[in-house]
Structures are given as structure tokens and as C-alpha cells.
């Protein structure tokens, strides 16, 4: 499954999303070769983009609020997209909404109102960076609305080596990435910077992030930005091919058990059998013998593994073991990417990935159902298990996804068959991504659409039209579809220079010049309640003379709207004969406009 397939099979879903949002940014989901929750253990993380994306859309309206609206996500079980309220689907975003409503109030002054929508090609719970990518895209859209970044600046930063971009680029870049980290903390109480960097920066190769020193924990945003380091794989290892070839099949399988990151982090911090049960009980056993001894006399084993005052032991052990395995994975990947096919390197890589899984099991309290899924997948793999590696893509604590890797030989059918057989025992299990079927992803953060900047998605195109009205509604779509929208008191059809009042086309007998009327109203709608000088109006004979403007445009149109709507239209023309102003006052008359 990949973006291209989903767009082809569910075109209407994408069309609707892009028609309803003026700004759309996207970033790819990520698979993890190594690292797990490495930030807690001073480890390294190796992540790779996969060709499935998460999109965030912004609909600018007149609501005078910043609000989360809907999320549309692909449900692979039903093979269709489902829709839900964002704050019901991700309740922790209530904290984010409160934060941005307070800290980003100036955006309401700039734009009037902001509605946030999400389109995800995977549901929440599968993992692969969902929550952290949402935080990153939210920071991106807010900084775009503030005018600090745009498509060009993103492309400029993306072209730089990652560490140069983090340390040497415009200060706004650091603030922008820091904003996403703030949203992480508001959502699930910690900082996940490796996901943002890996999803942001383009490149076919994996990214490597080295976490901060666990012994000097500082959860501040700036510490996270400047004390972790991220590199594209081909920035560290020179001389690699522009487009990599990894001589094996690999991918991601969903275990059927949802993995919600905030639950994983909470459990990882508090629900430890070792910390909460084993250590206290064994301390009770040993303390009578060691409590009166000096520190030098107490056995090192007791101090490190049993003394309850030493709470870092478990994390230190995990960090050491997983760090060693991660280094071996990094080394093996370097050999595979840097050499032609070599069977020994493939075997070495697969064996190291197996150690990664075993290390995770040893040091973490893995979900029993997650382990059962792996056991069943292995049993149904109709070949030697020595050539198949299954490893936790997110974390085996709660479930989520399973990474797989196997040689290029004739085994690729076996993994697909194994997944299908495992489904019979575990209905939620499914193949999410397979490299040989779905290809590779190299694009990172992307402005899919920015109507104001002239960027249109493939589902809109420059031939599309926009509809907006004084209620703040803004829709992109085909001309005929937009013309079918009813309920506007006044409609300006700028494409064909036609006016409609109360859903009826205005005739030339009723209004002398519809073209000039449309041009003037189109300008005044951008400045409702403000005086616009006649020299700012579109050039015409009417805009040069106040009396001509009044007699041919203003008075006839006010009479027409009074007749059809039974309301006074607040169109004002005042000043000197050749030096005058026009103003469209605030009104409950609903005015719509269609333009290309």
C-alpha cells in the first residue's frame, strides 16, 4: 500500500480534502530500523521514510477561533476512509488547542479564523510516528500563517545537510521546529525530535539521530534542539549511490494491537516490574546484611541492581544493550548500501535485527499478544526461519507494528502468505508496507497546496476555481460544482462577469455594467468596513468620476438588492468628484464570489 495507490482508488476523498483547505502540508510516515524510545536511553535511532503520508489542511474562515475540525483516515480493514472529530480521535490535542488559542491569537487578527483538518493514509494506533508528525505539521502550518515560512524557505532548508539546517539556518527555523516539540510535550508529556527531523528532511537514505545524554536530562525545548544530532545516512558515509539499493525485501506489518505513544511513555516511566516489585522485595531480603556497611563494603551488584535509590539502572542497562545492537545495525547497513550484493552482509544484518528484537524483549515488558503475533508469523513462514527477521518497529511494550527483513531470493511470497495465514488467528494483522510492492519514499515535508502562493495540488490544478463568501466559507473545485452552491444573497461570478441576486441572474437592463460592479465589489470585499480610494479601484471610466459611479453602479445596485432582498445594501461612495472613496459596510447580507 502506498500514497499513489490510495490516491488512485479513493480520488474523491482527496479531491474533497484539497477543495476544502487552502493550505495543505504533508510529511511521510516512518519505519524504525533501530532505536525504539531511544531518547530515554541515550541511544541512537535509525528511521526511514515510507511512501505513506499524513496531510494537514488549513481552512481560513471568519469564525474568530482556531479550531481542530475533522480527521479523515484510511481504515485498511474496511478498505475505505473514515471520518472523525479530531479532538475525539486524539483527545490529548485539547491541550494543544488551548495552547494555540492563547499563544497564537495574533493569527486570528491576521486571518479571521482558522480551521484545522487532517487526512491520514494510516489510522492512529498503527504508530509509525503519527502523533509527532501531526505536531510537526501543525507547527508548519501555524508558521506559514504567520508569514515566517513558505514553500520556498522549506525547500531551501531541505537542501542543506541536516545539522547545518539545525544550527546555521534562519533563527525562525529553530523556532518553527521547537514549536512542534512544544506540541509533543502538550500531547504526551515528552519530546520526540527524531521523528520530526526524519520526516522533514528529504532523502532516500535513512536518517540517524543520536539522542541527548540521559544522565543530564533536561526536557527543555532548546536542549532537545541543540543536544541531539541528526544525519542523513549518506551524509555520514560518503561515496554512496544517489538512489540506494538495499539487497533485501523489507517492510512493516501491523500486529493488530494499537500502539498509542502517550500510553507507551506513561507505562515505560511508571509500570516497571523491575522497579516496582523485584527491587523492593530483594532489597528487603538483602538489606539486613548490607545496611550497616560502608559504601565501599557494599557489593557493587547490590548497589547497581537492587538498591531502590538507584533508579537509573534499568534504563542504563537498556541503553547499553540497545546502543550496542544499534551500532551493529548501522555498521551492517553501511556495508549493504556501500557494496554490491554480498550474502554474508545480508546474513549479518538479519542476525543483528534479530538481536534487536531479543534485546527489546529482555529489557522491556513486552505485550504478550504482540509476541504471539510474531510467533505465529514465524510458524507460518514456509522456509527456514534463519533468513527471516521480525523486529518491533515502534515498541513491543504495547504493540503497534512489526518490521521485517529477508533476502531477495524466492522468499518474498512466503512473508505475504505468512501474513494472510496469521490473519486467521489475529484478524487485525495486515501488511502495511512492502518495499518490493510499494517502492521507496524520498520526499520529506511538502507544501501540497498553498492557494495564496499559487501552489495547487494535483486534485485541484490551476484550471480549478475558488468559492468564498462573507461567512468565511472557502471551497476549491470545478466551476459548475461551485455555481451549484445555493443560499447566497449575492453571487459574483468573476469567471463570466455575471451577477446573481437571490439566486437570479441580473440582466443588463437591471444593471448597466455588471463587469465594473463585480470588479468594484471584489475589491471592496477584501477591505470590508474600510475606505478604498478611487485610485485603488480597477481602472475604468466609472472609477474616475464619483457621479458616474453613483448613477451607473452604486444607486442601481442598491435599488436592485432592496427590491430582491428587502434589505439595504451598505455600499457607500463619498468624497470629491475626482477624489472619492468607496466602502462596503459590514452586513448580514451573504455575498459569495467565484473566481479562478
Amino acid at each position: 500500500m502506498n500514497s499513489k495507490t490510495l490516491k488512485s482508488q479513493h480520488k474523491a476523498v482527496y479531491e474533497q480534502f484539497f477543495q476544502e483547505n487552502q493550505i495543505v502540508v504533508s510529511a511521510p510516515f516512518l519505519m524504525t530500523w533501530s532505536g525504539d524510545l531511544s531518547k530515554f536511553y541515550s541511544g541512537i535511532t535509525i528511521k526511514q521514510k515510507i511512501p505513506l503520508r499524513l496531510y494537514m489542511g488549513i481552512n481560513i474562515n471568519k469564525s474568530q477561533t482556531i479550531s481542530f475540525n475533522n480527521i479523515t483516515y484510511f481504515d485498511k480493514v474496511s478498505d475505505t476512509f473514515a471520518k472523525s472529530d479530531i479532538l475525539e480521535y486524539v483527545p490529548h490535542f485539547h491541550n494543544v488547542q488551548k495552547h494555540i488559542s492563547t499563544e497564537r491569537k495574533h493569527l486570528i487578527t491576521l486571518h479571521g479564523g482558522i480551521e484545522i483538518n487532517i487526512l491520514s493514509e494510516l489510522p492512529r494506533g498503527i504508530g509509525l510516528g503519527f502523533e509527532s508528525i501531526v505536531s510537526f505539521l501543525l507547527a508548519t502550518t501555524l508558521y506559514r500563517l504567520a508569514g515566517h515560512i513558505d514553500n520556498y524557505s522549506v525547500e531551501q532548508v531541505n537542501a542543506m545537510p541536516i545539522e547545518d539546517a539545525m544550527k546555521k539556518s534562519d533563527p525562525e527555523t529553530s523556532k518553527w521546529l521547537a514549536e512542534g516539540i512544544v506540541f509533543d510535550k502538550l500531547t504526551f508529556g515528552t519530546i520526540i525530535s527524531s521523528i520530526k527531523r526524519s520526516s522533514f528532511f528529504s532523502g532516500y537514505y535513512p536518517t540517524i539521530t543520536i539522542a541527548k545524554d540521559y544522565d543530564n536530562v533536561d526536557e527543555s525545548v532548546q536542549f532537545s534542539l541543540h543536544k541531539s544530532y541528526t544525519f542523513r545516512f549518506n551524509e555520514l558515509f560518503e561515496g554512496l549511490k544517489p538512489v540506494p539499493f538495499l539487497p533485501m525485501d523489507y517492510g512493516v506489518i501491523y500486529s493488530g494491537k494499537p500502539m498509542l505513544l502517550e500510553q507507551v511513555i506513561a507505562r515505560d516511566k511508571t509500570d516497571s516490574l523491575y522497579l516496582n516489585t523485584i527491587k523492593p522485595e530483594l532489597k528487603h531480603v538483602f538489606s539486613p546484611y548490607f545496611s550497616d556497611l560502608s559504601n565501599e563494603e557494599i557489593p557493587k551488584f547490590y548497589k547497581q541492581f537492587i538498591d531502590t535509590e538507584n533508579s537509573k539502572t534499568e534504563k542504563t542497562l537498556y541503553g547499553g544493550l540497545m546502543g550496542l545492537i544499534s551500532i551493529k545495525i548501522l555498521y551492517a547497513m553501511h556495508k549493504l548500501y556501500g557494496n554490491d550484493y554480498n550474502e554474508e552482509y545480508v546474513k549479518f544484518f538479519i542476525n543483528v535485527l534479530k538481536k534487536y528484537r531479543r534485546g527489546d524483549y529482555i529489557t522491556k515488558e513486552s505485550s504478550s499478544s504482540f509476541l504471539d503475533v510474531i510467533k505465529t508469523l514465524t510458524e507460518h513462514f514456509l522456509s527456514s526461519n534463519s533468513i527471516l527477521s521480525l523486529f518491533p518497529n515502534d515498541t513491543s511494550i504495547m504493540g503497534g507494528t512489526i518490521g521485517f527483513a529477508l533476502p531477495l531470493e524466492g522468499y518474498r511470497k512466503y512473508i505475504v502468505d505468512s501474513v494472510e495465514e496469521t490473519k486467521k488467528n489475529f484478524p487485525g494483522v495486515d501488511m502495511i508496507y512492502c518495499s518490493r510492492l510499494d517502492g521507496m519514499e524520498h520526499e520529506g515535508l511538502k507544501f501540497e497546496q498553498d492557494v495564496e502562493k499559487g501552489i495547487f495540488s494535483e486534485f485541484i490544478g490551476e484550471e480549478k476555481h475558488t468559492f468564498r463568501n462573507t461567512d468565511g466559507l472557502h471551497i476549491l473545485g470545478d466551476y459548475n460544482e461551485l455555481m451549484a452552491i445555493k443560499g447566497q444573497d449575492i453571487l459574483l461570478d468573476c469567471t463570466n462577469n455575471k451577477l446573481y441576486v437571490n439566486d437570479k441572474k441580473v440582466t443588463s437592463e437591471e444593471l448597466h455594467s455588471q463587469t465594473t460592479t463585480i470588479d468594484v465589489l471584489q475589491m471592496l470585499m477584501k477591505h470590508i468596513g474600510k475606505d478604498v480610494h478611487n485610485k485603488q479601484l480597477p481602472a475604468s471610466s466609472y472609477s474616475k468620476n464619483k457621479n458616474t459611479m453613483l448613477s451607473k453602479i452604486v444607486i442601481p445596485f442598491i435599488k436592485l438588492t432592496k427590491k430582491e432582498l428587502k434589505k439595504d445594501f451598505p455600499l457607500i461612495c463619498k468624497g470629491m468628484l475626482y477624489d472619492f472613496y468607496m466602502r462596503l459596510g459590514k452586513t448580514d447580507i451573504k455575498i459569495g464570489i467565484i473566481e479562478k
Side-chain angles (χ1 to χ4, degrees):
M1 184 173 76
N2 58 28
S3 289
K4 185 177 180 180
T5 302
L6 290 173
K7 288 176 179 177
S8 173
Q9 295 176 351
H10 303 275
K11 185 178 179 181
V13 174
Y14 288 85
E15 285 182 339
Q16 181 178 356
F17 185 80
F18 282 98
Q19 287 172 6
E20 293 176 351
N21 295 281
Q22 298 96 298
I23 299 172
V24 178
V25 295
S26 75
F29 286 98
L30 304 165
M31 69 173 289
T32 303
W33 285 110
S34 179
D36 194 5
L37 300 174
S38 64
K39 73 174 292 292
F40 294 131
Y41 315 108
S42 306
I44 68 171
T45 301
I46 305 172
K47 291 188 178 291
Q48 182 158 339
K49 289 175 278 292
I50 64 174
L52 290 163
R53 302 183 76 84
L54 195 152
Y55 305 78
M56 180 168 287
I58 296 295
N59 176 30
I60 298 171
N61 53 41
K62 299 298 180 183
S63 65
Q64 297 299 308
T65 62
I66 301 176
S67 63
F68 285 102
N69 188 33
N70 292 321
I71 177 169
T72 303
Y73 59 92
F74 185 67
D75 179 7
K76 204 166 187 297
V77 175
S78 61
D79 195 35
T80 188
F81 278 88
K83 183 175 285 190
S84 179
D85 179 275
I86 291 177
L87 295 180
E88 293 177 0
Y89 193 70
V90 192
H92 292 272
F93 284 163
H94 279 284
N95 294 332
V96 176
Q97 177 161 312
K98 289 179 183 177
H99 173 81
I100 61 179
S101 295
T102 302
E103 300 298 324
R104 294 291 177 265
K105 286 191 294 186
H106 65 283
L107 295 179
I108 296 175
T109 304
L110 284 173
H111 300 286
I114 298 164
E115 179 185 271
I116 300 162
N117 297 289
I118 296 172
L119 173 65
S120 178
E121 293 174 346
L122 290 173
R124 184 186 187 224
I126 282 185
L128 306 177
F130 179 95
E131 287 91 345
S132 196
I133 293 172
V134 169
S135 295
F136 171 48
L137 293 181
L138 179 58
T140 301
T141 55
L142 294 180
Y143 266 68
R144 160 61 187 88
L145 289 169
H148 297 315
I149 61 170
D150 57 17
N151 181 58
Y152 176 75
S153 58
V154 167
E155 289 180 348
Q156 291 293 104
V157 173
N158 221 325
M160 302 170 69
I162 296 178
E163 277 306 298
D164 285 353
M166 298 303 302
K167 305 298 191 298
K168 301 176 183 178
S169 59
D170 188 283
E172 288 299 333
T173 301
S174 292
K175 293 179 183 177
W176 156 36
L177 293 172
E179 185 81 344
I181 291 173
V182 168
F183 297 151
D184 273 353
K185 292 200 71 174
L186 290 169
T187 304
F188 37 78
T190 192
I191 291 171
I192 310 292
S193 59
S194 64
I195 292 175
K196 293 174 184 59
R197 298 183 185 194
S198 300
S199 192
F200 173 18
F201 289 97
S202 298
Y204 282 105
Y205 284 93
T207 54
I208 299 129
T209 298
I210 302 173
K212 63 186 180 182
D213 183 356
Y214 184 81
D215 293 330
N216 294 286
V217 171
D218 179 349
E219 285 288 290
S220 73
V221 168
Q222 287 304 314
F223 186 88
S224 181
L225 278 174
H226 298 298
K227 293 298 183 181
S228 57
Y229 307 90
T230 303
F231 310 90
R232 295 181 179 93
F233 196 92
N234 53 330
E235 290 173 356
L236 283 181
F237 301 101
E238 298 179 353
L240 299 180
K241 300 172 184 176
V243 179
F245 171 69
L246 197 63
M248 58 177 53
D249 289 331
Y250 60 91
V252 178
I253 300 166
Y254 179 45
S255 68
K257 182 175 175 58
M259 194 284 297
L260 304 179
L261 189 55
E262 67 272 15
Q263 294 179 6
V264 172
I265 291 169
R267 179 171 173 178
D268 188 62
K269 288 181 175 180
T270 62
D271 190 20
S272 168
L273 175 67
Y274 175 60
L275 288 175
N276 299 331
T277 304
I278 296 176
K279 288 179 71 173
E281 289 190 12
L282 289 181
K283 182 176 182 179
H284 178 73
V285 172
F286 283 103
S287 62
Y289 301 97
F290 301 137
S291 59
D292 294 332
L293 299 179
S294 66
N295 187 60
E296 291 76 14
E297 294 176 301
I298 297 174
K300 186 176 182 180
F301 178 84
Y302 177 82
K303 288 188 287 187
Q304 287 188 342
F305 295 99
I306 298 176
D307 186 356
T308 52
E309 293 180 4
N310 184 3
S311 61
K312 294 182 180 179
T313 301
E314 186 178 24
K315 296 183 183 298
T316 303
L317 286 173
Y318 181 83
L321 176 61
M322 300 305 282
L324 177 62
I325 295 172
S326 295
I327 288 295
K328 289 185 176 181
I329 291 174
L330 182 63
Y331 174 79
M333 292 185 82
H334 165 52
K335 291 299 182 182
L336 287 174
Y337 280 130
N339 294 273
D340 293 330
Y341 181 79
N342 185 308
E343 187 174 341
E344 292 305 312
Y345 289 140
V346 172
K347 288 181 179 178
F348 177 65
F349 186 49
I350 288 174
N351 286 332
V352 174
L353 288 175
K354 288 182 177 181
K355 290 177 181 177
Y356 172 53
R357 184 181 87 221
R358 293 166 187 153
D360 192 80
Y361 295 169
I362 291 169
T363 55
K364 310 293 276 297
E365 295 168 46
S366 303
S367 160
S368 59
S369 60
F370 184 85
L371 301 183
D372 288 341
V373 170
I374 287 187
K375 180 175 180 290
T376 307
L377 284 167
T378 304
E379 290 172 349
H380 288 304
F381 188 76
L382 301 178
S383 184
S384 170
N385 289 329
S386 65
I387 55 95
L388 172 67
S389 177
L390 298 170
F391 52 94
N393 184 77
D394 294 292
T395 170
S396 61
I397 302 174
M398 297 294 290
T401 51
I402 302 162
F404 72 86
L406 66 162
L408 283 175
E409 288 89 352
Y411 309 114
R412 50 182 45 166
K413 182 177 182 298
Y414 296 149
I415 188 64
V416 176
D417 292 343
S418 175
V419 171
E420 292 302 313
E421 287 297 316
T422 303
K423 281 183 184 180
K424 297 175 182 179
N425 302 99
F426 301 91
V429 170
D430 211 341
M431 181 79 75
I432 298 298
Y433 165 66
C434 181
S435 60
R436 72 177 179 89
L437 298 174
D438 302 316
M440 300 173 65
E441 176 64 88
H442 71 281
E443 289 188 304
L445 176 67
K446 184 179 180 182
F447 270 84
E448 302 275 353
Q449 182 160 288
D450 193 338
V451 174
E452 183 183 337
K453 301 290 185 180
I455 300 171
F456 296 88
S457 83
E458 61 192 282
F459 299 100
I460 299 298
E462 295 184 10
E463 74 281 359
K464 296 288 184 177
H465 292 70
T466 65
F467 170 88
R468 56 187 172 90
N469 68 11
T470 47
D471 283 348
L473 183 63
H474 195 133
I475 302 174
L476 299 166
D478 292 321
Y479 171 78
N480 291 331
E481 294 174 352
L482 299 180
M483 283 298 296
I485 297 174
K486 302 298 182 182
Q488 310 305 306
D489 296 323
I490 298 170
L491 177 64
L492 314 180
D493 175 7
C494 299
T495 301
N496 294 311
N497 291 319
K498 297 295 181 183
L499 260 170
Y500 296 79
V501 177
N502 207 14
D503 289 332
K504 293 189 294 187
K505 185 186 292 186
V506 175
T507 66
S508 57
E509 288 78 16
E510 293 173 306
L511 195 61
H512 184 71
S513 176
Q514 293 191 44
T515 299
T516 299
T517 305
I518 289 171
D519 289 343
V520 169
L521 290 176
Q522 188 178 14
M523 169 65 77
L524 296 179
M525 280 181 66
K526 297 177 182 178
H527 307 279
I528 291 178
K530 298 179 180 179
D531 289 341
V532 177
H533 194 272
N534 66 305
K535 290 183 179 179
Q536 295 176 262
L537 297 172
S540 71
S541 58
Y542 304 96
S543 64
K544 296 177 181 178
N545 186 293
K546 186 185 76 170
N547 290 343
T548 304
M549 178 65 75
L550 280 168
S551 62
K552 301 295 185 182
I553 303 295
V554 176
I555 294 174
F557 191 68
I558 289 175
K559 287 182 177 179
L560 176 63
T561 53
K562 181 70 172 180
K563 174 185 174 184
E564 295 293 337
L565 302 174
K566 305 297 188 285
K567 293 181 179 180
D568 295 321
F569 189 69
L571 182 59
I572 298 170
C573 183
K574 62 181 182 178
M576 307 298 289
L577 184 62
Y578 301 110
D579 184 18
F580 62 93
Y581 295 85
M582 296 192 70
R583 181 172 73 242
L584 177 60
K586 295 182 179 180
T587 177
D588 62 353
I589 294 175
K590 188 181 294 186
I591 308 171
I593 181 169
I594 293 176
E595 53 196 346
K596 196 163 184 178

